[in-house]
């Protein structure tokens, strides 16, 4: 089978030494070895995100932790501030769980506006707000510090932040930009296989959870936190994922994450320059351009399935546009074990395809 390098925005290329963590012998999930492993993984996440709050690990994808956050925190009314498909997911999950939710949104390709959030929170009697840090459908990085500062001015409001495609991809300082629950998935900028969700939970969110009924069992934030306090998980976790997470965090934290973040920035910069010279970018404002994924304008005649067929024969795979942007964009991810050199090779291959007009064949 030809190896295909994933330029998709998750799952991503997993480095070979990380796969090794998946072949190590297992050990019981109750006991000293597990306590030590969970401590390493959780402490690593705390250092990466500059926080001293509770870290929970859940064997599931990130959406499960979004659902857990909603079920455990929304008392009466939730505000979702959506800037794309994954922002909309917050609202969909809330409705599916029978919660009352209002949504405000921006045109896809734009970031959330902190002052708009402030105005709506002032008027709305909300007890919880949810938004996305990095919107994977559009490649927009929301201004976390400014949004967090607004939420901070509303002490009764719990803030839930989906950092699925941001954590490990951008510097995050939760002590300066606090969120009550900041959550992410393994298969994005940490370059692990899918299957592990992680979240930082504030004491306020824990307290809120304890006041609410019907939080369920598997996804109860209070239970997850109580076990995290004991350096355990409430059910049998994917031990290999947690081993791999601890190993990846150790690597990234060698210089506080600087080399890792710079690598992502260089790849995204190259792709953005290239796209700018070709068909154009969805997001032209550099201050909100995501370093983890870029959405590129797609000419009507460009067939992404045909392009991906051509790329796959040469060992690459990119992503189509997402949701309402599927007909007009395609996306290139910068996360995972891919180099700047491979990124350049991918772009040359796309050029070959488009100049040879291969999509007509
Ligand atoms: C921003 C964002 N939020 C949530 C999700 C859902 O994450 P998961 O597939 O891990 O449940 C994704 C997945 O791509 C995402 O990009």
């Amino acid at each position: 089978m030809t190896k295909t390098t994933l330029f998709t925005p998750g799952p991503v290329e997993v480095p070979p030494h990380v796969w090794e963590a998946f072949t190590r012998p297992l050990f019981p999930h109750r006991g000293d070895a597990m306590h030590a492993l969970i401590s390493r993984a959780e402490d690593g996440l705390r250092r990466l995100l500059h926080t001293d709050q509770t870290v929970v690990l859940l064997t599931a994808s990130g959406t499960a932790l979004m659902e857990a956050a909603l079920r455990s925190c929304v008392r009466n009314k939730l505000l979702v501030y959506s800037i794309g498909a994954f922002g909309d997911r917050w609202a969909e999950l809330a409705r599916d769980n029978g919660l009352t939710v209002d949504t405000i949104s921006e045109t896809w390709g734009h970031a959330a506006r902190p002052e708009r959030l402030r105005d709506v929170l002032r008027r709305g009697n909300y007890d919880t707000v949810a938004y996305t840090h990095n919107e994977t459908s559009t490649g927009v990085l929301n201004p976390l510090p400014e949004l967090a500062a607004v939420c901070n001015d509303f002490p009764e409001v719990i803030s839930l932040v989906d950092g699925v495609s941001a954590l490990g991809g951008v510097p995050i300082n939760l002590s300066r930009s606090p969120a009550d629950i900041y959550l992410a998935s393994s298969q994005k900028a940490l370059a692990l296989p899918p299957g592990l969700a992680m979240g930082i939970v504030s004491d306020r969110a824990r307290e809120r959870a304890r006041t609410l009924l019907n939080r369920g069992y598997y996804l109860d934030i209070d239970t997850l936190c109580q076990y995290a306090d004991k350096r355990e998980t409430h059910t049998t976790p994917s031990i290999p994922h947690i081993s791999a997470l601890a190993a990846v965090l150790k690597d990234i934290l060698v210089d506080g994450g600087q080399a890792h973040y710079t690598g992502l920035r260089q790849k995204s910069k190259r792709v953005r320059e290239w796209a700018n010279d070709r068909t154009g970018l969805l997001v032209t404002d550099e201050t909100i351009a995501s370093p983890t994924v870029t959405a590129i304008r797609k000419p009507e005649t460009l067939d992404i399935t045909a392009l991906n067929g051509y790329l796959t024969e040469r060992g690459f795979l990119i992503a189509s546009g997402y949701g309402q942007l599927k007909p007009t964009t395609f996306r290139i991810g910068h996360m995972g074990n891919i180099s700047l050199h491979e990124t350049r090779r991918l772009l040359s291959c796309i050029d070959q395809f488009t100049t040879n007009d291969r999509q007509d064949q």
Side-chain angles (χ1 to χ4, degrees):
M1 198 170 90
T2 321
K3 166 86 182 80
T4 304
T5 302
L6 298 177
F7 281 84
T8 46
V12 302
E13 282 304 308
V14 176
H17 75 277
V18 173
W19 280 122
E20 277 166 28
F22 282 77
T23 60
R24 285 185 205 139
L26 291 173
F27 44 82
H29 69 296
R30 308 264 175 241
D32 290 346
M34 194 64 195
H35 293 164
L37 174 61
I38 290 189
S39 293
R40 285 206 304 283
E42 293 187 353
D43 290 349
L45 279 171
R46 268 189 282 269
R47 280 183 57 207
L48 187 71
L49 301 178
H50 302 271
T51 179
D52 56 6
Q53 302 280 0
T54 310
V55 175
V56 296
L57 301 174
L58 179 68
T59 298
S61 81
T63 306
L65 214 41
M66 292 169 78
E67 188 150 300
L70 291 170
R71 289 184 68 114
S72 301
C73 293
V74 182
R75 180 181 288 140
N76 292 314
K77 196 155 67 141
L78 165 75
L79 174 69
V80 168
Y81 196 166
S82 173
I83 60 161
F86 291 101
D88 290 352
R89 184 174 289 190
W90 274 123
E92 194 184 337
L93 285 169
R95 278 192 297 271
D96 286 353
N97 280 282
L99 301 169
T100 304
V101 52
D102 285 348
T103 305
I104 53 170
S105 53
E106 298 294 331
T107 308
W108 287 26
H110 292 260
R113 289 175 287 148
E115 287 317 308
R116 181 170 183 213
L117 177 62
R118 183 185 301 283
D119 284 349
V120 178
L121 284 179
R122 260 196 206 124
R123 287 183 275 115
N125 215 14
Y126 298 103
D127 56 64
T128 312
V129 63
Y131 59 91
T132 314
H133 187 180
N134 187 80
E135 180 51 67
T136 319
S137 60
T138 60
V140 169
L141 181 70
N142 256 332
L144 182 69
E146 288 82 0
L147 293 170
V150 170
C151 294
N152 223 21
D153 290 340
F154 296 85
E156 71 289 2
V157 175
I158 292 281
S159 61
L160 311 177
V161 183
D162 164 0
V164 165
S165 58
L167 190 150
V170 287
I172 297 165
N173 186 327
L174 292 181
S175 68
R176 286 201 210 126
S177 308
D180 289 296
I181 298 189
Y182 187 96
L183 60 93
S185 311
S186 51
Q187 76 279 11
K188 303 279 183 181
L190 292 174
L192 298 168
L196 188 71
M198 56 214 86
I200 312 296
V201 183
S202 74
D203 293 343
R204 274 158 37 93
R206 295 182 68 163
E207 280 158 31
R208 170 71 65 82
R210 284 196 287 272
T211 66
L212 299 181
L213 298 173
N214 300 321
R215 305 187 302 268
Y217 180 80
Y218 196 78
L219 299 182
D220 174 22
I221 289 290
D222 185 40
T223 307
L224 290 169
C225 288
Q226 282 186 38
Y227 277 84
D229 289 344
K230 298 189 282 182
R231 302 287 188 254
E232 286 188 12
T233 53
H234 67 323
T235 60
T236 319
S238 171
I239 298 169
H241 269 96
I242 302 177
S243 293
L245 173 63
V248 158
L249 289 168
K250 192 170 170 223
D251 290 349
I252 295 178
L253 284 164
V254 160
D255 63 352
Q258 290 320 307
H260 186 73
Y261 298 136
T262 304
L264 278 151
R265 279 264 168 222
Q266 284 171 342
K267 288 180 274 180
S268 96
K269 182 166 176 281
R270 180 65 204 108
V271 169
R272 290 181 63 75
E273 286 164 356
W274 172 87
N276 214 15
D277 287 347
R278 306 297 190 282
T279 55
L281 290 154
L282 177 72
V283 178
T284 48
D285 177 353
E286 290 297 325
T287 62
I288 59 163
S290 165
T292 60
V293 55
T294 299
I296 297 159
R297 292 200 182 277
K298 181 183 93 61
E300 220 174 301
T301 52
L302 180 63
D303 178 343
I304 295 300
T305 310
L307 169 60
N308 252 340
Y310 179 83
L311 292 175
T312 308
E313 283 169 17
R314 285 148 188 85
F316 302 113
L317 191 73
I318 61 166
S320 63
Y322 197 97
Q324 59 173 250
L325 292 176
K326 190 162 182 162
T328 53
T329 62
F330 61 99
R331 292 170 305 151
I332 297 181
H334 318 303
M335 300 173 279
N337 189 35
I338 44 175
S339 63
L340 184 58
H341 175 69
E342 283 170 302
T343 303
R344 290 201 179 104
R345 282 184 45 224
L346 165 77
L347 299 176
S348 307
C349 275
I350 301 178
D351 279 341
Q352 278 160 26
F353 178 82
T354 47
T355 49
N356 294 344
D357 221 10
R358 292 292 297 254
Q359 70 253 40
D360 293 337
Q361 292 180 18

